[in-house]
């Protein structure tokens, strides 16, 4: 501690005690003020919420006694008056009603926090205040309100208090800065300038001595004036000495500049392979500073991958039997823990009986050559067709996959414009889009049907890249084309398996899969969806009167009309014959389902004109609402919708019959479906 105090400057010794005492008083006051303020704000928040809860609780007694959940829910909406309340739950042994503020994210308390809130009445979490307020409505009653309140406003008050404290702290810094500034101007600065001038003379680290400024007429001013007079005499003597030394140093400076500009590492070693001289480039080439390289063994410094072999070659050089002429070795750089490839040239220094080694780091060049070979192998072995062309569209390179995929040999397309390979009518449709993406993102990707040499077309996934050289700013365009025939065939087969071949609507299998997925999603979304079972009225008469060809045309028109009556999120499919299924997802209002059903009936009742025949048709619809938690399967759902449809036919056709009502609150049933 004493050593640290002795190392302080004069200004620091004078200012630190004063600033330290003021800082201690300031911090103590701010800590006490902050804690008192937060404690008071927390108590006010708890008191305000409890008063509001007790007022609401008095209105809840009747709803609790009569188990009136709707009235309880309406009364709980009174908590909207307090914007910071996130959630309120009314419990009388079970959850009777709940109020949720959607504008505030609710953070659920842990079980331990819930217990503390119930025991103590309130618990402050990191982001939420949890309160348990009892409601007295009968003898030995245990009804209570669990309230979760957001602490965001309290946190804002804390931030405001901290900002106020920061402002006072900045004011403190300004005052301390002014005090320190005056001490420096009156005492510290004159003494520091005099000390700096004396040190410059003692160490002789500048060509011109520092001259203290005389700003006062006191003892310090007189001391500075005397020192300046002494310094003038010393400067005259130094000028004579420096002029002589300058002449001797110019030759050395010239030699050092020549060595410093050399980008290769230059090492001078003796016959024992010990380094006696090195330049600054050693750090860039070998990763070792110049001073660290001197007196090291040459082999140890290089860390060659084959040290014994290199020692044999080096011994021949040191015995003047051979020289290194662009000798390439691989070494391990201990500083960066990487491998480097070095090119070594050696020459003897006969007068000094030593040897000069020039070492060049060719790691990047060696790696670049390796990467070029690798890129060429990737280019040649790629299964995708690759075309490289100039910015103007002249083809420069193609790989073997291009020849196999498109059918043209490389000598037939290189040097030609890419327009000679494409159908210009189809290319014009995407040309502006491609140019726009290349100008903004240097990339375009899309599907294109390319004309092959044999006249056939092939679907391709094209990825067009614009590559710009960062130095020359010259651009090239690389096109990577992937064959999509296999993918297209799989998509076609998959569609045939899941869609009706006549109407192109989802078939029975696709409908089963879709409804099964919705049942699985209900476990998490708790949403309701509706299944409409649609059967055409009078379709058998059309088949008997006009034949099955006309009947098939009618089914296509029916499929097209129903597809235009539903939302994008819904699905319509053909079950069999003249039976269709429409699945309406995320149903929250029965009126929307009724409107959709009526719209389907109106569309199907519109006359159809086929081969100069006017055909009138109708339909009957059975609706079944699928609620979450009823443990149903697809067959149960379709059977109930079918039953409702037959009821519509039995009561006069052209109607919509609903099997079960739509409820807004769906209780979880435990019984299996009938």
């Amino acid at each position: 501690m004493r050593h640290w105090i002795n190392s302080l400057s004069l200004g620091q010794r004078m200012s630190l005690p004063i600033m330290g005492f003021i800082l201690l008083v300031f911090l103590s006051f701010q800590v006490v003020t902050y804690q008192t303020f937060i404690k008071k704000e927390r108590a006010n928040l708890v008191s305000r919420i409890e008063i509001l809860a007790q007022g609401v609780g008095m209105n809840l007694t009747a709803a609790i006694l009569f188990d009136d959940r709707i009235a309880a829910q309406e009364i709980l909406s009174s908590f909207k008056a307090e914007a910071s309340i996130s959630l309120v739950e009314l419990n009388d042994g079970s959850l009777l009603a709940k109020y949720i503020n959607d504008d505030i994210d609710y953070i659920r308390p842990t079980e331990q926090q819930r217990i503390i809130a119930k025991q103590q009445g309130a618990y402050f979490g990191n982001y939420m205040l949890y309160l348990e307020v009892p409601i007295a409505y009968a003898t030995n009653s245990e009804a209570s309100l669990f309230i979760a309140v957001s602490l965001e406003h309290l946190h804002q008050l804390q931030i405001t208090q901290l900002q106020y404290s920061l402002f006072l702290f900045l004011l403190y810094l300004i005052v301390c800065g002014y005090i320190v500034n005056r001490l420096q101007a009156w005492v510290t600065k004159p003494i520091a300038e005099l000390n700096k001038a004396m040190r410059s003379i003692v160490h002789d680290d500048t060509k011109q001595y520092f001259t203290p400024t005389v700003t006062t007429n006191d003892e310090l001013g007189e001391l500075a004036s005397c020192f300046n007079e002494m310094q003038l005499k010393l400067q005259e003597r130094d000028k004579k000495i420096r002029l002589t030394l300058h002449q001797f140093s110019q030759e050395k400076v010239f030699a050092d500049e020549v060595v410093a500009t050399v980008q290769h590492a230059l090492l001078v070693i003796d016959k024992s392979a010990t380094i006696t001289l090195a330049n600054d480039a050693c750090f860039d080439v070998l990763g070792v500073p110049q001073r660290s390289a001197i007196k090291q063994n040459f082999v140890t410094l290089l860390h060659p991958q084959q040290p014994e072999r290199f020692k044999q070659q080096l011994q021949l050089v040191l015995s003047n039997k051979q020289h290194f002429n662009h000798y390439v070795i691989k070494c391990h750089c201990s500083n960066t823990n990487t491998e480097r490839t070095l090119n070594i040239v050696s020459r003897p220094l006969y007068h000094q009986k030593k040897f000069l080694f020039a070492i060049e780091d060719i790691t990047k060049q060696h790696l670049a050559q390796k990467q070029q070979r690798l890129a060429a192998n990737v280019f040649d072995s790629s299964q995708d067709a690759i075309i490289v062309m100039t910015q103007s569209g002249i083809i420069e390179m193609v790989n073997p996959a291009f020849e196999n995929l498109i059918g043209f040999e490389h000598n037939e397309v290189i040097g030609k414009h890419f327009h000679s390979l494409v159908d210009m009518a189809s290319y014009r449709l995407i040309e502006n889009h491609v140019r726009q993406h290349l100008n903004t993102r240097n990339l375009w990707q899309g599907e294109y049907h390319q004309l092959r040499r044999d006249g056939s077309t092939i679907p391709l996934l094209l990825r067009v890249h614009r590559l710009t050289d960062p130095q020359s700013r010259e651009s090239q365009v690389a096109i990577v084309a992937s064959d999509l025939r296999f993918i297209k065939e799989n998509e076609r087969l998959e569609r045939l398996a899941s869609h009706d071949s006549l109407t192109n609507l989802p078939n029975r299998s696709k409908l089963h899969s879709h409804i099964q997925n919705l049942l699985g999603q209900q476990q998490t979304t708790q949403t309701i969806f509706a299944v409409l079972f649609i059967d055409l009225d009078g379709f058998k008469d059309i088949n008997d009167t006009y034949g099955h060809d006309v009947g098939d045309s009618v089914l296509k028109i029916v499929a097209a009309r129903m597809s235009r009556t539903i939302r994008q999120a819904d699905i319509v499919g053909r079950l069999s014959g003249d039976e269709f299924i429409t699945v309406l997802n995320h149903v929250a209002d029965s009126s929307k389902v009724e409107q959709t059903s009526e719209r389907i009936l109106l569309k199907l009742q519109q006359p159809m004109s086929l081969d100069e025949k006017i055909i009138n048709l109708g339909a009957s619809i059975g609706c079944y609402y699928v609620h979450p938690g009823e443990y149903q399967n697809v067959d149960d759902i379709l059977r109930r919708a079918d039953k409702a449809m037959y009821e519509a036919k039995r009561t006069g056709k052209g109607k919509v019959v609903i099997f079960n009502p739509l409820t807004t609150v769906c209780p979880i049933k435990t019984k299996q479906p009938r």
Side-chain angles (χ1 to χ4, degrees):
M1 176 64 72
R2 181 176 297 178
H3 176 73
W4 176 77
I5 295 176
N6 293 335
S7 64
L8 297 177
S9 64
L10 178 61
Q12 292 172 336
R13 293 184 184 181
M14 296 176 64
S15 59
L16 282 180
I18 299 174
M19 292 187 295
F21 176 75
I22 298 175
L23 179 62
L24 181 61
V25 174
F26 170 78
L27 292 178
S28 300
F29 175 76
Q30 288 300 314
V31 169
V32 173
T33 303
Y34 178 78
Q35 291 179 346
T36 304
F37 173 77
I38 297 304
K39 185 177 180 180
K40 181 179 178 181
E41 289 298 326
R42 284 191 170 189
N44 289 340
L45 178 61
V46 173
S47 176
R48 187 170 72 252
I49 300 301
E50 286 180 345
I51 292 173
L52 178 60
Q54 291 171 0
V56 174
M58 294 176 62
N59 297 327
L60 286 171
T61 55
I64 297 173
L65 287 172
F66 294 103
D67 196 20
D68 190 346
R69 297 176 180 265
I70 296 177
Q73 186 67 38
E74 292 179 354
I75 295 172
L76 287 184
S77 64
S78 302
F79 282 100
K80 292 180 180 179
E82 180 59 49
S84 62
I85 294 179
S86 174
L87 177 137
V88 180
E89 291 180 347
L90 174 60
N91 299 284
D92 61 347
S94 62
L95 180 61
L96 181 62
K98 179 188 292 187
Y99 163 75
I100 298 176
N101 188 350
D102 295 331
D103 295 333
I104 301 176
D105 294 334
Y106 169 61
I107 301 175
R108 185 179 299 277
T110 63
E111 188 66 26
Q112 183 66 24
Q113 292 173 345
R114 190 72 179 259
I115 294 173
I116 295 175
K118 187 171 184 179
Q119 293 175 348
Q120 300 180 0
Y123 177 81
F124 279 89
N126 292 331
Y127 302 99
M128 285 281 174
L129 165 63
Y130 306 106
L131 297 97
E132 191 82 24
V133 180
I135 299 176
Y137 66 93
T139 305
N140 298 326
S141 63
E142 295 183 355
S144 63
L145 288 173
F146 173 74
I147 306 175
V149 185
S150 173
L151 297 180
E152 182 178 358
H153 179 67
L154 183 61
H155 292 165
Q156 291 294 332
L157 292 177
Q158 292 176 327
I159 294 173
T160 302
Q161 184 68 14
L162 291 175
Q163 290 175 343
Y164 175 73
S165 300
L166 179 61
F167 170 76
L168 294 179
F169 182 71
L170 292 176
L171 186 62
Y172 157 79
L173 292 179
I174 293 173
V175 173
C176 291
Y178 177 78
I179 296 174
V180 173
N181 179 267
R182 291 298 86 201
L183 289 175
Q184 288 181 344
W186 295 332
V187 180
T188 307
K189 184 176 180 181
I191 296 177
E193 288 186 350
L194 185 61
N195 179 59
K196 181 178 180 181
M198 295 179 65
R199 292 175 68 88
S200 65
I201 294 175
V202 172
H203 298 288
D204 195 20
D205 53 2
T206 59
K207 294 182 179 179
Q208 185 175 1
Y209 298 130
F210 178 76
T211 302
T213 303
V214 180
T215 57
T216 60
N217 296 324
D218 55 8
E219 291 83 352
L220 289 176
E222 292 180 1
L223 180 62
S225 298
C226 294
F227 182 84
N228 289 338
E229 293 178 2
M230 178 190 69
Q231 190 171 228
L232 288 175
K233 296 180 180 179
L234 292 175
Q235 288 178 1
E236 293 177 358
R237 187 195 65 179
D238 288 345
K239 285 182 181 179
K240 297 178 181 179
I241 297 175
R242 293 181 186 279
L243 181 61
T244 304
L245 293 176
H246 179 70
Q247 297 175 351
F248 289 104
S249 63
Q250 280 199 349
E251 292 185 2
K252 182 179 184 300
V253 171
F254 176 74
D256 291 341
E257 288 179 350
V258 172
V259 173
T261 55
V262 176
Q263 300 300 314
H264 299 351
L266 297 179
L267 302 176
V268 177
I269 67 174
D270 56 20
K271 291 187 175 182
S272 63
T274 301
I275 301 172
T276 60
L277 185 64
N279 67 342
D280 293 335
C282 286
F283 182 78
D284 296 329
V285 177
L286 302 177
V288 179
Q290 176 189 12
R291 295 181 180 179
S292 300
I294 297 176
K295 294 185 180 180
Q296 281 198 41
N297 184 271
F298 185 50
V299 180
T300 304
L301 179 67
L302 290 184
H303 293 287
Q305 290 186 351
Q306 298 179 346
E308 295 301 326
R309 180 181 177 184
F310 180 72
K311 286 180 181 179
Q312 295 176 1
Q313 297 294 327
L314 178 62
Q315 191 59 39
L316 295 176
V317 173
L318 298 180
S319 60
N320 277 325
K321 294 181 180 180
Q322 69 175 27
H323 302 299
F324 283 152
N325 290 313
H326 302 290
Y327 182 74
V328 178
I329 63 169
K330 289 188 176 182
C331 301
H332 179 76
C333 181
S334 58
N335 185 33
T336 59
N337 198 23
T338 58
E339 292 184 356
R340 293 189 178 185
T341 304
L342 305 178
N343 182 19
I344 304 177
V345 176
S346 68
R347 292 294 181 268
L349 302 175
Y350 295 106
H351 182 70
Q352 299 290 335
K353 295 183 179 180
K354 296 179 181 179
F355 300 86
L356 175 65
F357 287 80
I359 306 175
E360 178 186 7
D361 186 355
I362 60 172
T363 305
K364 292 183 179 180
Q365 298 90 316
H366 185 74
L367 181 60
Q369 293 175 358
K370 183 178 179 180
Q371 290 177 341
Q372 288 178 353
R373 292 192 296 268
L374 179 60
N377 291 334
V378 173
F379 183 81
D380 292 336
S381 60
S382 174
Q383 298 299 314
D384 295 331
I386 303 176
I387 306 172
V388 180
M389 58 187 185
T390 64
Q391 181 65 28
S392 60
I394 303 301
I395 299 175
E396 295 182 325
M397 297 173 61
V398 296
N399 67 339
F402 169 83
E403 301 176 1
N404 298 331
L405 190 62
I406 310 302
F408 290 95
E409 299 290 337
H410 69 280
N411 54 2
E412 295 179 295
V413 296
I414 291 178
K416 295 183 179 180
H417 201 278
F418 79 95
H419 284 174
S420 62
L421 296 178
V422 300
D423 178 18
M424 292 305 300
S426 60
Y427 174 70
R428 294 297 183 193
L429 300 176
I430 65 171
E431 182 178 12
N432 292 334
H433 192 60
V434 173
R435 291 183 182 274
Q436 181 181 0
H437 276 70
L438 290 181
N439 290 333
T440 56
R441 298 188 299 175
N442 294 324
L443 171 66
W444 177 84
Q445 178 173 307
E447 186 175 336
Y448 181 75
H449 289 265
Q450 172 63 37
L451 188 66
R452 304 185 72 211
R453 183 174 185 177
D454 58 8
S456 62
T457 58
I458 178 174
L460 298 176
L461 174 63
L462 297 185
R463 294 179 293 276
V464 184
H465 304 263
R466 174 181 286 171
L467 309 174
T468 303
D469 187 279
Q471 297 179 351
S472 65
R473 307 305 299 174
E474 293 182 357
S475 298
Q476 288 180 303
V477 177
I479 303 176
V480 181
S482 303
D483 190 355
L484 294 180
R485 286 177 293 184
F486 180 73
I487 297 176
K488 292 290 185 181
E489 180 63 19
N490 285 343
E491 291 177 352
R492 187 185 69 83
L493 294 176
E494 182 180 354
R495 186 167 186 84
L496 287 176
S498 61
H499 286 71
D500 178 48
S501 59
L502 176 63
T503 62
N504 204 28
L505 293 177
N507 58 14
R508 177 185 292 270
S509 175
K510 181 68 174 179
L511 288 170
H512 271 251
S513 177
H514 180 73
I515 297 174
Q516 190 65 46
N517 289 336
L518 291 180
L519 289 174
Q521 294 173 8
Q522 275 189 334
Q523 298 178 5
T524 55
T525 61
Q526 295 295 303
T527 57
I528 302 172
F529 66 92
V531 177
L532 304 181
F533 197 112
I534 305 166
D535 187 83
L536 302 180
D537 296 334
F539 180 72
K540 183 177 183 302
D541 295 336
I542 294 174
N543 272 338
D544 295 340
T545 304
Y546 301 108
H548 289 283
D549 291 340
V550 174
D552 291 344
S553 299
V554 169
L555 290 177
K556 292 180 181 179
I557 296 174
V558 168
R561 289 182 177 181
M562 285 197 295
S563 297
R564 290 193 294 268
T565 61
I566 62 173
R567 303 170 301 179
Q568 187 175 3
D570 302 330
I571 184 175
V572 58
R574 184 186 179 196
L575 195 61
S576 64
D578 59 343
E579 295 177 342
F580 296 85
I581 296 293
T582 297
V583 182
L584 306 179
N585 197 11
H586 296 292
V587 174
D589 187 356
S590 61
S591 63
K592 301 296 183 181
V593 178
E594 294 172 1
Q595 292 173 5
T596 302
S597 301
E598 292 296 335
R599 192 162 56 248
I600 292 174
L601 292 178
L602 290 176
K603 282 287 185 181
L604 297 182
Q605 289 171 1
Q606 294 176 2
M608 304 179 189
S609 179
L610 288 174
D611 297 332
E612 300 181 355
K613 303 179 185 69
I614 302 300
I615 298 176
N616 294 302
L617 196 66
S620 299
I621 301 177
C623 173
Y624 179 71
Y625 292 107
V626 183
H627 297 85
E630 293 186 341
Y631 305 104
Q632 305 179 86
N633 56 43
V634 179
D635 292 332
D636 291 331
I637 294 170
L638 295 180
R639 177 172 55 80
R640 292 168 185 172
D642 184 27
K643 184 177 181 181
M645 183 273 296
Y646 274 109
E647 181 65 20
K649 282 186 175 292
R650 188 184 66 81
T651 57
K653 300 183 179 180
K655 297 181 179 180
V656 180
V657 173
I658 299 175
F659 183 87
N660 58 336
L662 174 65
T663 58
T664 56
V665 179
C666 304
I668 304 299
K669 298 182 179 180
T670 58
K671 295 182 179 180
Q672 295 297 326
R674 295 174 294 173

